[in-house]
Amino acid sequence: MRSGIIYAALAFFCWGLFPIYFHALGEVPPLQILAHRMLWSLAFLLILLLLRRDWKWLQVVRQPRVFFSFVLSALLLSANWLVYIWSVMNHHVIEASLGYFINPLVNIVLGYLILKERMRPLQWAAIGVAALGVAWLTWQAGTVPWIALFLALSFGGYGLLRKTAALGPLEGLSFETIVLFPLAAGYVIWLTVQGQNVFINTASDTTRWLLIMAGPLTAIPLLLFATGARKIPLSILGLLQYLSPTLQFLLGVWLFKEAFSADRLVGFVLIWSALALFAGEGLLRRQPAAAKA
């Protein structure tokens, strides 16, 4: 249990600090960062697979249903990455954090609609309070918080596909990056021909190394998360999940000095209340089960 909590907490802590990393790549356009993230992630994952020397999983992806499910999950993951990178580099860290605060509640709704999981009354209440928070933010801003909603829905859809996937975390992520590799490689080659490849053109070796580090920085938190998730109950994992958007939110307010008015705070408080209701309900249900065990 203790090691599982440490692994999962480290994963969410790494994700929470990602805005600092993307801000350091300010001279690189978001789409180029995404392409390098795909390329260097695949390179890092192939090293891990070579060390394991286990390639039997490649037989599974020959099945059309498995293949196309991973193509879809790869596209959802890349779209989520691109919007998140763009939002951080365009001073929308707070709204991006909102998306990941909403994400656990999106997972509940998807489980209800797609997996036919039962929802308890307090879970419905949490969804309702969160919806009020999003509605308040929309009314105050005069526009729908599209960044937050897209991040929550795209990562929720990705999580749903990975939950029902036929491959493990390392193999699944490796195949997703293999699917995305031709697009990323083709785009980088085109940039090079056009003379627009920042990796080549930049005078900063730091920028080049930061782009190369996108591989392990992407893969390691995902592998830590997968390892921790196997060792701890979902209720504890759900509570730890809020570490990442909380860190992102604090970075947006204190480090990047993004505007955060009292009116906007009301919407966040509603969503935080929904999360507290959801987490508290899960813990209360878990205590009697633990007592019986």
Side-chain angles (χ1 to χ4, degrees), residues 257-277:
K257 308 298 181 182
E258 294 185 9
F260 191 67
S261 65
D263 290 335
R264 201 175 184 189
L265 177 62
V266 172
F268 271 78
V269 168
L270 284 170
I271 291 167
W272 291 331
S273 300
L275 294 175
L277 183 62

Side-chain angles (χ1 to χ4, degrees), residues 44-55:
F44 179 77
L45 292 167
L46 287 177
I47 292 172
L48 296 182
L49 289 171
L50 286 170
L51 292 174
R52 288 185 54 176
R53 298 180 182 180
D54 181 11
W55 302 97

Side-chain angles (χ1 to χ4, degrees), residues 76-77 79-81 100 103 149-159:
L76 279 174
L77 182 61
N80 181 274
W81 283 352
Y100 293 110
N103 178 245
L149 292 177
F150 182 86
L151 291 174
L153 291 171
S154 59
F155 201 73
Y158 174 76

Side-chain angles (χ1 to χ4, degrees), residues 4-276:
I5 291 174
I6 292 172
Y7 286 134
L10 283 173
F12 291 123
F13 183 77
C14 291
W15 284 328
L17 296 180
F18 264 19
I20 298 175
Y21 170 73
F22 291 123
H23 265 272
L25 287 169
E27 68 170 307
V28 187
L31 196 55
Q32 289 196 41
I33 296 176
L34 176 63
H36 281 282
R37 196 173 184 185
M38 295 174 187
L39 295 177
W40 296 112
S41 293
L42 179 58
F44 179 77
L45 292 167
L46 287 177
I47 292 172
L48 296 182
L49 289 171
L50 286 170
L51 292 174
R52 288 185 54 176
R53 298 180 182 180
D54 181 11
W55 302 97
K56 295 179 181 178
W57 60 272
L58 287 172
Q59 299 175 1
V60 178
V61 299
R62 295 176 182 175
Q63 303 172 21
R65 185 174 178 275
V66 174
F67 178 84
F68 286 110
S69 70
F70 274 97
V71 170
L72 180 57
S73 67
L75 292 174
L76 279 174
L77 182 61
S78 59
N80 181 274
W81 283 352
L82 179 59
V83 172
Y84 179 74
I85 294 168
W86 180 90
S87 65
V88 170
M89 299 183 73
N90 286 272
H91 312 291
H92 296 290
V93 175
I94 293 175
E95 188 170 345
S97 73
L98 174 63
Y100 293 110
F101 276 121
I102 297 173
N103 178 245
L105 303 175
V106 170
N107 290 340
I108 298 173
V109 175
L110 289 176
Y112 173 76
L113 294 176
I114 308 299
L115 301 179
K116 307 303 179 184
E117 296 177 352
R118 294 181 62 186
M119 287 182 61
R120 298 181 291 274
L122 285 179
Q123 289 179 321
W124 279 115
I127 296 295
V129 174
L132 284 175
V134 173
W136 173 264
L137 290 171
T138 300
W139 182 69
Q140 285 294 321
T143 182
V144 177
W146 291 114
I147 294 173
L149 292 177
F150 182 86
L151 291 174
L153 291 171
S154 59
F155 201 73
Y158 174 76
L160 176 66
L161 289 171
R162 295 298 282 118
K163 180 178 176 64
T164 57
L167 297 176
L170 174 60
E171 294 81 4
L173 181 61
S174 299
F175 187 65
E176 286 167 350
T177 53
I178 290 171
V179 168
L180 297 169
F181 175 79
L183 296 174
Y187 178 61
V188 170
I189 291 171
W190 180 83
L191 287 170
T192 303
V193 171
Q194 297 295 317
Q196 300 175 13
N197 189 341
V198 177
F199 186 85
I200 296 174
N201 297 340
T202 183
S204 172
D205 288 334
T206 300
T207 296
R208 292 192 184 92
W209 280 110
L210 285 173
L211 288 171
I212 292 172
M213 288 301 296
L217 287 176
T218 296
I220 290 174
L222 286 168
L223 297 176
L224 285 171
F225 170 78
T227 304
R230 292 191 182 97
K231 298 185 177 185
I232 58 178
L234 284 177
S235 58
I236 296 177
L237 188 67
L239 289 174
L240 291 173
Q241 183 174 354
Y242 304 134
L243 175 63
S244 175
T246 299
L247 286 173
Q248 294 174 22
F249 171 80
L250 294 176
L251 286 173
V253 173
W254 289 337
L255 183 61
F256 303 125
K257 308 298 181 182
E258 294 185 9
F260 191 67
S261 65
D263 290 335
R264 201 175 184 189
L265 177 62
V266 172
F268 271 78
V269 168
L270 284 170
I271 291 167
W272 291 331
S273 300
L275 294 175

